Amino acid sequence: GSGDLGESIAYKIAEQLKNNCLIILHYNSNKTKAEQIAGDIKNKYGCKTDIINARFLKIQEDEQFVKFINKTKHVVTIEDGIRIGGLSSNIQNLILSNNLENIRLKTFGYPEKFIEHGTVEQLEKKYMLDKYAIAKNISNWLKNIEKD
């Protein structure tokens, strides 16, 4: 049935990603969200997700981190602010300055525009930055790896 097809696709993705499929980079406030998303990805694809608090990472100076990205090939950033000039920009610069190839980067953060007032929950839901929207987005992204 269709469940078998879903399991088959998930298995192929996990095999392709060698069970070390993803790095999620975040700052302190997104730790719980990152852990919940990693759990969802593991349940769906059976692949390990490494969660790294970027607050303690000297991105441009860390050779081990460069090797880690190059091995894993799939990086996600989750930010509380806008993506431009933030964590995702630093990771993009790292990838370019180290000539890393075939790295897939998925970034989550607010758009560069006026953000109206509201609770964190309201704003995350509106801009699809809550854990459910991010997990679904990453899941679809991983499925599309098969098509590349």
Side-chain angles (χ1 to χ4, degrees), residues 5-148:
L5 179 62
E7 287 173 20
S8 172
I9 290 170
Y11 177 77
K12 284 181 188 172
I13 291 169
E15 278 299 300
Q16 183 178 340
L17 300 173
K18 306 283 190 260
N19 289 330
N20 189 9
C21 68
L22 198 60
I23 299 170
I24 297 179
L25 291 159
H26 68 90
Y27 288 115
N28 288 347
S29 58
N30 286 310
K31 182 176 191 257
T32 302
K33 186 191 305 184
E35 288 169 347
Q36 291 167 336
I37 292 165
D40 186 58
I41 297 301
K42 184 168 189 199
N43 291 339
K44 226 173 218 159
Y45 297 104
C47 58
K48 182 176 179 251
T49 299
D50 293 291
I51 302 167
I52 299 171
N53 184 345
R55 179 175 174 222
F56 302 107
L57 190 64
K58 290 188 164 91
I59 291 171
Q60 299 302 335
E61 300 170 18
D62 195 327
E63 287 180 33
Q64 280 304 112
F65 183 61
V66 170
K67 289 177 185 170
F68 195 45
I69 286 180
N70 208 28
K71 179 178 176 259
T72 305
K73 301 285 189 201
H74 302 84
V75 182
V76 171
T77 62
I78 302 174
E79 303 182 60
D80 290 331
I82 61 171
R83 291 183 298 252
I84 297 169
L87 179 58
S88 58
S89 293
N90 287 335
I91 297 301
Q92 286 171 335
N93 289 338
L94 178 80
I95 291 166
L96 290 172
S97 65
N98 286 280
N99 298 313
L100 302 181
E101 295 182 8
N102 302 315
I103 307 295
R104 289 183 166 89
L105 176 64
K106 187 81 177 154
T107 63
F108 295 95
Y110 288 95
E112 189 175 14
K113 66 177 202 174
F114 174 76
I115 306 295
E116 61 284 348
H117 292 281
T119 66
V120 172
E121 291 79 19
Q122 289 170 329
L123 295 175
E124 284 183 347
K125 193 165 180 73
K126 176 174 182 167
Y127 292 101
M128 298 180 70
L129 296 172
D130 60 284
K131 65 183 175 190
Y132 304 106
I134 292 174
K136 184 176 180 181
N137 197 316
I138 292 171
S139 198
N140 290 335
W141 180 60
L142 290 173
K143 281 183 204 166
N144 287 330
I145 290 168
E146 280 290 293
K147 298 175 187 171
D148 287 353

